[in-house]
mmCIF file of all heavy atoms in Angstrom:
data_model
loop_
_atom_site.group_PDB
_atom_site.id
_atom_site.type_symbol
_atom_site.label_atom_id
_atom_site.label_comp_id
_atom_site.label_asym_id
_atom_site.label_seq_id
_atom_site.Cartn_x
_atom_site.Cartn_y
_atom_site.Cartn_z
ATOM 1 N N TYR O 1 115.416 91.040 108.178
ATOM 2 C CA TYR O 1 114.101 91.325 108.752
ATOM 3 C C TYR O 1 113.266 90.047 108.647
ATOM 4 O O TYR O 1 113.282 89.374 107.618
ATOM 5 C CB TYR O 1 113.402 92.447 107.986
ATOM 6 C CG TYR O 1 113.909 93.836 108.293
ATOM 7 C CD1 TYR O 1 115.120 94.285 107.780
ATOM 8 C CD2 TYR O 1 113.175 94.700 109.097
ATOM 9 C CE1 TYR O 1 115.582 95.560 108.061
ATOM 10 C CE2 TYR O 1 113.623 95.985 109.380
ATOM 11 C CZ TYR O 1 114.836 96.409 108.860
ATOM 12 O OH TYR O 1 115.290 97.666 109.137
ATOM 13 N N THR O 2 112.533 89.746 109.679
ATOM 14 C CA THR O 2 111.690 88.543 109.679
ATOM 15 C C THR O 2 110.212 88.908 109.789
ATOM 16 O O THR O 2 109.404 88.125 110.288
ATOM 17 C CB THR O 2 112.077 87.611 110.849
ATOM 18 O OG1 THR O 2 111.951 88.331 112.088
ATOM 19 C CG2 THR O 2 113.504 87.104 110.682
ATOM 20 N N ASP O 3 109.856 90.081 109.312
ATOM 21 C CA ASP O 3 108.484 90.579 109.437
ATOM 22 C C ASP O 3 107.501 89.754 108.611
ATOM 23 O O ASP O 3 107.818 89.315 107.496
ATOM 24 C CB ASP O 3 108.415 92.040 108.984
ATOM 25 C CG ASP O 3 109.224 92.960 109.881
ATOM 26 O OD1 ASP O 3 109.628 92.504 110.971
ATOM 27 O OD2 ASP O 3 109.462 94.120 109.491
ATOM 28 N N THR O 4 106.319 89.560 109.151
ATOM 29 C CA THR O 4 105.253 88.886 108.417
ATOM 30 C C THR O 4 104.697 89.822 107.358
ATOM 31 O O THR O 4 104.975 91.030 107.356
ATOM 32 C CB THR O 4 104.114 88.494 109.360
ATOM 33 O OG1 THR O 4 103.527 89.701 109.905
ATOM 34 C CG2 THR O 4 104.618 87.595 110.483
ATOM 35 N N ALA O 5 103.897 89.274 106.437
ATOM 36 C CA ALA O 5 103.285 90.089 105.381
ATOM 37 C C ALA O 5 102.449 91.209 105.990
ATOM 38 O O ALA O 5 102.458 92.351 105.500
ATOM 39 C CB ALA O 5 102.429 89.208 104.475
ATOM 40 N N GLU O 6 101.731 90.908 107.068
ATOM 41 C CA GLU O 6 100.894 91.919 107.721
ATOM 42 C C GLU O 6 101.742 93.043 108.304
ATOM 43 O O GLU O 6 101.409 94.237 108.162
ATOM 44 C CB GLU O 6 100.065 91.264 108.829
ATOM 45 C CG GLU O 6 99.088 92.217 109.492
ATOM 46 C CD GLU O 6 98.240 91.537 110.556
ATOM 47 O OE1 GLU O 6 98.361 90.302 110.727
ATOM 48 O OE2 GLU O 6 97.452 92.243 111.222
ATOM 49 N N ILE O 7 102.861 92.688 108.922
ATOM 50 C CA ILE O 7 103.743 93.711 109.503
ATOM 51 C C ILE O 7 104.400 94.533 108.401
ATOM 52 O O ILE O 7 104.563 95.754 108.536
ATOM 53 C CB ILE O 7 104.812 93.062 110.407
ATOM 54 C CG1 ILE O 7 104.142 92.474 111.655
ATOM 55 C CG2 ILE O 7 105.885 94.070 110.799
ATOM 56 C CD1 ILE O 7 105.094 91.702 112.554
ATOM 57 N N ILE O 8 104.765 93.888 107.298
ATOM 58 C CA ILE O 8 105.374 94.631 106.180
ATOM 59 C C ILE O 8 104.399 95.677 105.662
ATOM 60 O O ILE O 8 104.765 96.850 105.449
ATOM 61 C CB ILE O 8 105.791 93.669 105.048
ATOM 62 C CG1 ILE O 8 106.952 92.795 105.506
ATOM 63 C CG2 ILE O 8 106.186 94.456 103.792
ATOM 64 C CD1 ILE O 8 107.330 91.708 104.513
ATOM 65 N N ARG O 9 103.146 95.290 105.479
ATOM 66 C CA ARG O 9 102.148 96.251 104.994
ATOM 67 C C ARG O 9 101.978 97.404 105.988
ATOM 68 O O ARG O 9 101.924 98.574 105.597
ATOM 69 C CB ARG O 9 100.813 95.556 104.750
ATOM 70 C CG ARG O 9 100.831 94.572 103.583
ATOM 71 C CD ARG O 9 99.424 94.169 103.180
ATOM 72 N NE ARG O 9 98.731 93.450 104.241
ATOM 73 C CZ ARG O 9 98.755 92.134 104.404
ATOM 74 N NH1 ARG O 9 99.480 91.377 103.578
ATOM 75 N NH2 ARG O 9 98.081 91.555 105.388
ATOM 76 N N ALA O 10 101.908 97.060 107.263
ATOM 77 C CA ALA O 10 101.735 98.097 108.288
ATOM 78 C C ALA O 10 102.942 99.033 108.337
ATOM 79 O O ALA O 10 102.794 100.247 108.519
ATOM 80 C CB ALA O 10 101.516 97.436 109.654
ATOM 81 N N THR O 11 104.135 98.471 108.171
ATOM 82 C CA THR O 11 105.347 99.297 108.227
ATOM 83 C C THR O 11 105.451 100.199 107.011
ATOM 84 O O THR O 11 105.872 101.365 107.110
ATOM 85 C CB THR O 11 106.594 98.402 108.353
ATOM 86 O OG1 THR O 11 106.429 97.513 109.454
ATOM 87 C CG2 THR O 11 107.848 99.246 108.570
ATOM 88 N N LEU O 12 105.076 99.689 105.841
ATOM 89 C CA LEU O 12 105.064 100.530 104.642
ATOM 90 C C LEU O 12 104.134 101.723 104.832
ATOM 91 O O LEU O 12 104.424 102.832 104.375
ATOM 92 C CB LEU O 12 104.653 99.707 103.422
ATOM 93 C CG LEU O 12 105.672 98.681 102.918
ATOM 94 C CD1 LEU O 12 105.053 97.803 101.833
ATOM 95 C CD2 LEU O 12 106.938 99.363 102.387
ATOM 96 N N ARG O 13 103.033 101.495 105.516
ATOM 97 C CA ARG O 13 102.100 102.598 105.786
ATOM 98 C C ARG O 13 102.763 103.680 106.642
ATOM 99 O O ARG O 13 102.474 104.868 106.498
ATOM 100 C CB ARG O 13 100.845 102.091 106.485
ATOM 101 C CG ARG O 13 99.962 101.191 105.637
ATOM 102 C CD ARG O 13 98.737 100.769 106.439
ATOM 103 N NE ARG O 13 98.048 99.664 105.812
ATOM 104 C CZ ARG O 13 97.212 99.778 104.780
ATOM 105 N NH1 ARG O 13 96.971 100.980 104.280
ATOM 106 N NH2 ARG O 13 96.619 98.727 104.258
ATOM 107 N N LYS O 14 103.652 103.265 107.544
ATOM 108 C CA LYS O 14 104.333 104.235 108.409
ATOM 109 C C LYS O 14 105.252 105.156 107.606
ATOM 110 O O LYS O 14 105.627 106.239 108.078
ATOM 111 C CB LYS O 14 105.141 103.505 109.473
ATOM 112 C CG LYS O 14 104.293 102.774 110.502
ATOM 113 C CD LYS O 14 105.174 102.044 111.509
ATOM 114 C CE LYS O 14 104.325 101.266 112.511
ATOM 115 N NZ LYS O 14 105.167 100.511 113.485
ATOM 116 N N LEU O 15 105.646 104.705 106.408
ATOM 117 C CA LEU O 15 106.541 105.522 105.573
ATOM 118 C C LEU O 15 105.786 106.600 104.796
ATOM 119 O O LEU O 15 106.404 107.432 104.139
ATOM 120 C CB LEU O 15 107.290 104.632 104.585
ATOM 121 C CG LEU O 15 108.266 103.626 105.193
ATOM 122 C CD1 LEU O 15 108.836 102.727 104.105
ATOM 123 C CD2 LEU O 15 109.391 104.350 105.931
ATOM 124 N N ASP O 16 104.463 106.566 104.855
ATOM 125 C CA ASP O 16 103.645 107.527 104.116
ATOM 126 C C ASP O 16 104.032 108.957 104.481
ATOM 127 O O ASP O 16 103.876 109.381 105.634
ATOM 128 C CB ASP O 16 102.168 107.289 104.446
ATOM 129 C CG ASP O 16 101.239 108.225 103.695
ATOM 130 O OD1 ASP O 16 101.644 108.763 102.644
ATOM 131 O OD2 ASP O 16 100.091 108.413 104.151
ATOM 132 N N GLY O 17 104.576 109.698 103.505
ATOM 133 C CA GLY O 17 104.914 111.098 103.718
ATOM 134 C C GLY O 17 106.180 111.339 104.515
ATOM 135 O O GLY O 17 106.517 112.493 104.800
ATOM 136 N N MET O 18 106.908 110.284 104.879
ATOM 137 C CA MET O 18 108.094 110.454 105.727
ATOM 138 C C MET O 18 109.333 110.753 104.894
ATOM 139 O O MET O 18 109.674 110.018 103.971
ATOM 140 C CB MET O 18 108.327 109.188 106.556
ATOM 141 C CG MET O 18 109.531 109.294 107.497
ATOM 142 S SD MET O 18 109.775 107.776 108.466
ATOM 143 C CE MET O 18 108.331 107.853 109.547
ATOM 144 N N ASP O 19 110.017 111.851 105.220
ATOM 145 C CA ASP O 19 111.268 112.168 104.544
ATOM 146 C C ASP O 19 112.325 111.127 104.897
ATOM 147 O O ASP O 19 112.367 110.621 106.033
ATOM 148 C CB ASP O 19 111.762 113.558 104.951
ATOM 149 C CG ASP O 19 110.902 114.666 104.362
ATOM 150 O OD1 ASP O 19 110.338 114.459 103.274
ATOM 151 O OD2 ASP O 19 110.779 115.727 105.009
ATOM 152 N N GLU O 20 113.180 110.835 103.947
ATOM 153 C CA GLU O 20 114.202 109.807 104.150
ATOM 154 C C GLU O 20 115.089 110.121 105.342
ATOM 155 O O GLU O 20 115.415 109.241 106.148
ATOM 156 C CB GLU O 20 115.033 109.669 102.875
ATOM 157 C CG GLU O 20 115.935 108.480 102.846
ATOM 158 C CD GLU O 20 116.571 108.261 101.482
ATOM 159 O OE1 GLU O 20 116.479 109.158 100.615
ATOM 160 O OE2 GLU O 20 117.152 107.187 101.281
ATOM 161 N N ALA O 21 115.471 111.383 105.493
ATOM 162 C CA ALA O 21 116.390 111.763 106.574
ATOM 163 C C ALA O 21 115.743 111.634 107.950
ATOM 164 O O ALA O 21 116.441 111.510 108.958
ATOM 165 C CB ALA O 21 116.868 113.198 106.365
ATOM 166 N N ALA O 22 114.406 111.660 107.978
ATOM 167 C CA ALA O 22 113.709 111.615 109.263
ATOM 168 C C ALA O 22 113.390 110.199 109.712
ATOM 169 O O ALA O 22 112.886 109.999 110.822
ATOM 170 C CB ALA O 22 112.411 112.426 109.175
ATOM 171 N N ALA O 23 113.690 109.211 108.898
ATOM 172 C CA ALA O 23 113.319 107.833 109.221
ATOM 173 C C ALA O 23 114.175 107.288 110.364
ATOM 174 O O ALA O 23 115.399 107.408 110.335
ATOM 175 C CB ALA O 23 113.471 106.951 107.994
ATOM 176 N N PRO O 24 113.556 106.669 111.389
ATOM 177 C CA PRO O 24 114.330 106.043 112.464
ATOM 178 C C PRO O 24 115.060 104.806 111.932
ATOM 179 O O PRO O 24 114.742 104.316 110.843
ATOM 180 C CB PRO O 24 113.254 105.662 113.488
ATOM 181 C CG PRO O 24 111.987 105.576 112.711
ATOM 182 C CD PRO O 24 112.106 106.563 111.602
ATOM 183 N N PRO O 25 116.029 104.303 112.680
ATOM 184 C CA PRO O 25 116.867 103.195 112.183
ATOM 185 C C PRO O 25 116.090 102.004 111.635
ATOM 186 O O PRO O 25 116.444 101.459 110.589
ATOM 187 C CB PRO O 25 117.693 102.815 113.413
ATOM 188 C CG PRO O 25 117.799 104.094 114.189
ATOM 189 C CD PRO O 25 116.493 104.796 113.998
ATOM 190 N N TYR O 26 115.036 101.570 112.331
ATOM 191 C CA TYR O 26 114.289 100.398 111.871
ATOM 192 C C TYR O 26 113.695 100.634 110.494
ATOM 193 O O TYR O 26 113.724 99.757 109.627
ATOM 194 C CB TYR O 26 113.179 100.066 112.868
ATOM 195 C CG TYR O 26 112.377 98.834 112.490
ATOM 196 C CD1 TYR O 26 112.876 97.563 112.744
ATOM 197 C CD2 TYR O 26 111.129 98.948 111.877
ATOM 198 C CE1 TYR O 26 112.161 96.429 112.399
ATOM 199 C CE2 TYR O 26 110.400 97.822 111.525
ATOM 200 C CZ TYR O 26 110.920 96.564 111.792
ATOM 201 O OH TYR O 26 110.203 95.449 111.442
ATOM 202 N N LEU O 27 113.163 101.823 110.256
ATOM 203 C CA LEU O 27 112.533 102.125 108.976
ATOM 204 C C LEU O 27 113.563 102.374 107.876
ATOM 205 O O LEU O 27 113.258 102.210 106.703
ATOM 206 C CB LEU O 27 111.609 103.338 109.113
ATOM 207 C CG LEU O 27 110.366 103.129 109.991
ATOM 208 C CD1 LEU O 27 109.493 104.379 109.988
ATOM 209 C CD2 LEU O 27 109.563 101.923 109.517
ATOM 210 N N ARG O 28 114.771 102.728 108.242
ATOM 211 C CA ARG O 28 115.805 102.931 107.216
ATOM 212 C C ARG O 28 116.106 101.635 106.486
ATOM 213 O O ARG O 28 116.440 101.628 105.302
ATOM 214 C CB ARG O 28 117.089 103.486 107.851
ATOM 215 C CG ARG O 28 116.986 104.954 108.222
ATOM 216 C CD ARG O 28 118.229 105.471 108.884
ATOM 217 N NE ARG O 28 117.948 106.692 109.642
ATOM 218 C CZ ARG O 28 118.665 107.121 110.669
ATOM 219 N NH1 ARG O 28 119.727 106.429 111.064
ATOM 220 N NH2 ARG O 28 118.327 108.222 111.287
ATOM 221 N N GLY O 29 115.984 100.521 107.178
ATOM 222 C CA GLY O 29 116.145 99.222 106.524
ATOM 223 C C GLY O 29 115.085 99.022 105.458
ATOM 224 O O GLY O 29 115.363 98.466 104.387
ATOM 225 N N TYR O 30 113.877 99.481 105.726
ATOM 226 C CA TYR O 30 112.802 99.401 104.741
ATOM 227 C C TYR O 30 113.113 100.288 103.533
ATOM 228 O O TYR O 30 112.885 99.893 102.388
ATOM 229 C CB TYR O 30 111.469 99.813 105.371
ATOM 230 C CG TYR O 30 110.689 98.635 105.916
ATOM 231 C CD1 TYR O 30 111.092 97.997 107.083
ATOM 232 C CD2 TYR O 30 109.573 98.151 105.254
ATOM 233 C CE1 TYR O 30 110.389 96.909 107.583
ATOM 234 C CE2 TYR O 30 108.858 97.064 105.739
ATOM 235 C CZ TYR O 30 109.276 96.439 106.905
ATOM 236 O OH TYR O 30 108.581 95.348 107.378
ATOM 237 N N LEU O 31 113.642 101.459 103.786
ATOM 238 C CA LEU O 31 114.010 102.342 102.674
ATOM 239 C C LEU O 31 115.095 101.695 101.817
ATOM 240 O O LEU O 31 115.064 101.790 100.585
ATOM 241 C CB LEU O 31 114.486 103.697 103.212
ATOM 242 C CG LEU O 31 113.481 104.504 104.043
ATOM 243 C CD1 LEU O 31 114.088 105.826 104.471
ATOM 244 C CD2 LEU O 31 112.197 104.746 103.274
ATOM 245 N N GLN O 32 116.030 101.040 102.477
ATOM 246 C CA GLN O 32 117.096 100.342 101.740
ATOM 247 C C GLN O 32 116.511 99.209 100.900
ATOM 248 O O GLN O 32 116.890 99.017 99.732
ATOM 249 C CB GLN O 32 118.134 99.781 102.718
ATOM 250 C CG GLN O 32 119.320 99.122 102.030
ATOM 251 C CD GLN O 32 120.353 98.610 103.019
ATOM 252 O OE1 GLN O 32 120.346 98.982 104.204
ATOM 253 N NE2 GLN O 32 121.236 97.740 102.554
ATOM 254 N N ALA O 33 115.561 98.463 101.460
ATOM 255 C CA ALA O 33 114.928 97.368 100.730
ATOM 256 C C ALA O 33 114.136 97.895 99.527
ATOM 257 O O ALA O 33 114.142 97.288 98.452
ATOM 258 C CB ALA O 33 114.006 96.580 101.652
ATOM 259 N N ILE O 34 113.490 99.035 99.712
ATOM 260 C CA ILE O 34 112.744 99.649 98.604
ATOM 261 C C ILE O 34 113.683 99.988 97.461
ATOM 262 O O ILE O 34 113.375 99.764 96.288
ATOM 263 C CB ILE O 34 111.992 100.903 99.097
ATOM 264 C CG1 ILE O 34 110.788 100.489 99.946
ATOM 265 C CG2 ILE O 34 111.541 101.773 97.924
ATOM 266 C CD1 ILE O 34 110.091 101.635 100.646
ATOM 267 N N ARG O 35 114.844 100.498 97.787
ATOM 268 C CA ARG O 35 115.802 100.876 96.734
ATOM 269 C C ARG O 35 116.334 99.651 95.982
ATOM 270 O O ARG O 35 116.824 99.775 94.873
ATOM 271 C CB ARG O 35 116.964 101.662 97.336
ATOM 272 C CG ARG O 35 116.561 103.050 97.854
ATOM 273 C CD ARG O 35 117.717 104.012 97.810
ATOM 274 N NE ARG O 35 117.378 105.334 98.319
ATOM 275 C CZ ARG O 35 116.794 106.291 97.618
ATOM 276 N NH1 ARG O 35 116.440 106.058 96.368
ATOM 277 N NH2 ARG O 35 116.544 107.476 98.151
ATOM 278 N N GLN O 36 116.237 98.485 96.592
ATOM 279 C CA GLN O 36 116.744 97.264 95.968
ATOM 280 C C GLN O 36 115.647 96.444 95.284
ATOM 281 O O GLN O 36 115.924 95.421 94.673
ATOM 282 C CB GLN O 36 117.435 96.404 97.036
ATOM 283 C CG GLN O 36 118.684 97.063 97.613
ATOM 284 C CD GLN O 36 119.207 96.345 98.848
ATOM 285 O OE1 GLN O 36 118.567 95.447 99.376
ATOM 286 N NE2 GLN O 36 120.372 96.763 99.324
ATOM 287 N N THR O 37 114.392 96.904 95.378
ATOM 288 C CA THR O 37 113.255 96.154 94.857
ATOM 289 C C THR O 37 112.824 96.691 93.502
ATOM 290 O O THR O 37 112.777 97.909 93.296
ATOM 291 C CB THR O 37 112.071 96.226 95.844
ATOM 292 O OG1 THR O 37 112.481 95.679 97.096
ATOM 293 C CG2 THR O 37 110.865 95.455 95.320
ATOM 294 N N SER O 38 112.483 95.791 92.598
ATOM 295 C CA SER O 38 112.033 96.196 91.263
ATOM 296 C C SER O 38 110.774 97.044 91.357
ATOM 297 O O SER O 38 109.870 96.765 92.157
ATOM 298 C CB SER O 38 111.754 94.949 90.416
ATOM 299 O OG SER O 38 111.143 95.301 89.201
ATOM 300 N N LEU O 39 110.699 98.057 90.508
ATOM 301 C CA LEU O 39 109.519 98.922 90.460
ATOM 302 C C LEU O 39 108.460 98.399 89.497
ATOM 303 O O LEU O 39 107.462 99.070 89.244
ATOM 304 C CB LEU O 39 109.922 100.350 90.063
ATOM 305 C CG LEU O 39 110.599 101.169 91.155
ATOM 306 C CD1 LEU O 39 111.112 102.491 90.600
ATOM 307 C CD2 LEU O 39 109.649 101.415 92.318
ATOM 308 N N GLY O 40 108.662 97.236 88.953
ATOM 309 C CA GLY O 40 107.686 96.658 88.038
ATOM 310 C C GLY O 40 108.309 95.532 87.244
ATOM 311 O O GLY O 40 109.511 95.282 87.341
#
């Protein structure tokens, strides 16, 4: 993904309340990245 910081923030907002199974292909990549990112 080559998204800018602004696009990343906007895309994360699109995940608000979205069930994992309902995510379209583009957003599934974001879900995968979330699973690989430290929580703190």
Side-chain angles (χ1 to χ4, degrees):
Y1 283 76
T2 58
D3 295 347
T4 64
E6 184 178 356
I7 292 175
I8 292 173
R9 292 194 296 270
T11 307
L12 289 172
R13 293 181 194 280
K14 292 179 182 178
L15 295 175
D16 181 22
M18 181 180 291
D19 289 330
E20 191 171 11
Y26 182 79
L27 293 183
R28 285 178 200 156
Y30 267 73
L31 300 181
Q32 184 178 344
I34 286 172
R35 292 208 181 277
Q36 295 169 352
T37 301
S38 172
L39 285 173

